[in-house]
Amino acid sequence: VLVKSAHLQRAQKLFINGATGAVGQAAIEIARALGADVVGRVGPQSVARAQSLGLSLVLDYTKPLPPSLNGSFDVVFDANGSLTVKEGDRLIKRGGVIIDIVPTLPKFLKALVSRSRKFVFADVKSDNLQTVVDLAAAGRLAIPLAQTISLADAPALLASLEQGKRLSGKAVIAF
């Protein structure tokens, strides 16, 4: 997504909303491997974790975005879905790209009239995943594992996640 859709390159600036989620963490690793400067926005309970990931700046999403960041980013990636249309528009540089993985109605309508806003969906073609495979093989892509559960326990975990429970990594369902 960052390479194919947003054309992220060395020395560009990337803003990731939801930087400590699994998608956000993978985006950090890919962007850093490309040589991009990465700023992340996370929940207050995840600030220390985000700082340990090597971000140049970590922001708490319960606080307003600093006006000094307006127009600063080549790519804005909403890996969480909570970034508003207005916030994304404020952060992006002229000619930049906003990538969103949670297509809300306002964001979808804005994307219809904006060249800078793109929605992404899973594209699992092997050539599109090669960067991720290379990073994982080199030990540079490590998504934390929060827990392993049985298939029988999966419905309860999914229900708790839908009610707002947060994990500090991915859950794996073992058969």
Side-chain angles (χ1 to χ4, degrees):
V1 170
L2 294 175
V3 176
K4 185 178 174 186
S5 296
H7 308 290
L8 185 66
Q9 300 173 23
R10 174 174 300 287
Q12 287 189 324
K13 289 189 74 168
L14 169 66
F15 179 90
I16 302 174
N17 187 58
T20 54
V23 173
Q25 288 183 63
I28 291 168
E29 298 301 325
I30 291 167
R32 290 183 66 219
L34 292 170
D37 178 40
V38 186
V39 171
R41 184 176 177 199
V42 300
Q45 72 284 2
S46 300
V47 169
R49 169 84 178 117
Q51 289 169 334
S52 75
L53 298 174
L55 300 171
S56 63
L57 177 64
V58 176
L59 302 168
D60 177 341
Y61 73 71
T62 63
K63 298 178 181 170
L65 290 169
S68 61
L69 295 179
N70 292 353
S72 296
F73 298 95
D74 300 285
V75 178
V76 172
F77 181 36
D78 190 359
N80 174 269
S82 63
L83 192 69
T84 67
V85 170
K86 191 174 189 177
E87 289 171 327
D89 289 345
R90 278 187 35 221
L91 292 169
I92 199 76
K93 282 182 181 178
R94 184 180 182 104
V97 177
I98 301 170
I99 302 291
D100 202 317
I101 62 172
V102 183
T104 62
L105 183 59
K107 292 176 183 181
F108 180 75
L109 294 173
K110 178 75 176 191
L112 293 175
V113 297
S114 172
R115 290 179 181 231
S116 65
R117 191 170 290 275
K118 299 179 181 184
F119 287 106
V120 294
F121 301 96
D123 187 354
V124 294
K125 295 178 188 154
S126 61
D127 57 330
N128 293 337
L129 296 175
Q130 193 59 53
T131 301
V132 175
V133 169
D134 294 343
L135 287 171
R140 295 181 62 196
L141 181 64
I143 303 303
L145 178 62
Q147 67 186 95
T148 301
I149 61 170
S150 70
L151 184 58
D153 293 332
L157 176 63
L158 291 172
S160 69
L161 292 171
E162 289 173 351
Q163 293 172 355
K165 178 182 178 180
R166 304 291 297 165
L167 299 176
S168 60
K170 299 306 280 181
V172 174
I173 300 171
F175 292 96

